[in-house]
Amino acid sequence: MTPLNTLNPTARRKLIPLVVVNAVLLLVLISSLTSPFVQAGFGERRGDFLMVAGEGERTATNLVWILESRNGELISVDWLDAGQGMKAKAHRNIQADIESIIKSR
């Protein structure tokens, strides 16, 4: 690797835009890491969601499981055959299941 002070002036001028771009990218990265957390949404915060994608019972089926953690509802959705959207496949109230397990002990 050639030391910077041994480069000719033309080569140094070509490095300046690269250094400037890297400095700007570093500033953007630092500012994004130090900025407060923002959650997108409309109106009041309605819930916290966890989404997990995976295969269904049939290997050709791709499902998305969505857990709404505030009230413990779990739903699985699948793509419509035409690819025009998603359709709910199953619904489960996990909170009610946990409560019934605790009561049965």
Side-chain angles (χ1 to χ4, degrees):
M1 183 166 204
T2 307
L4 189 57
N5 59 359
T6 61
L7 291 175
N8 62 25
T10 306
R12 280 188 189 178
R13 274 188 251 123
K14 289 181 181 178
L15 283 177
I16 290 174
L18 182 62
V19 171
V20 170
V21 167
N22 282 322
V24 169
L25 289 175
L26 183 61
L27 288 173
V28 169
L29 177 65
I30 290 171
S31 68
S32 68
L33 293 176
T34 59
S35 65
F37 177 73
V38 176
Q39 182 174 357
F42 297 103
E44 294 181 19
R45 185 173 166 193
R46 299 190 186 275
D48 294 322
F49 295 93
L50 172 67
M51 297 176 63
V52 179
E55 292 183 352
E57 294 174 3
R58 299 174 290 155
T59 57
T61 303
N62 294 317
L63 296 174
V64 176
W65 287 274
I66 303 170
L67 174 66
E68 204 280 313
S69 62
R70 287 194 179 216
N71 60 11
E73 291 185 25
L74 178 69
I75 187 170
S76 65
V77 293
D78 187 14
W79 286 105
L80 294 173
D81 292 331
Q84 299 292 323
M86 301 184 91
K87 177 182 177 186
K89 290 289 190 180
H91 176 268
R92 187 83 183 191
N93 189 332
I94 303 296
Q95 186 66 34
D97 292 344
I98 292 171
E99 290 173 3
S100 68
I101 290 171
I102 291 172
K103 288 179 183 177
S104 68
R105 289 186 174 190

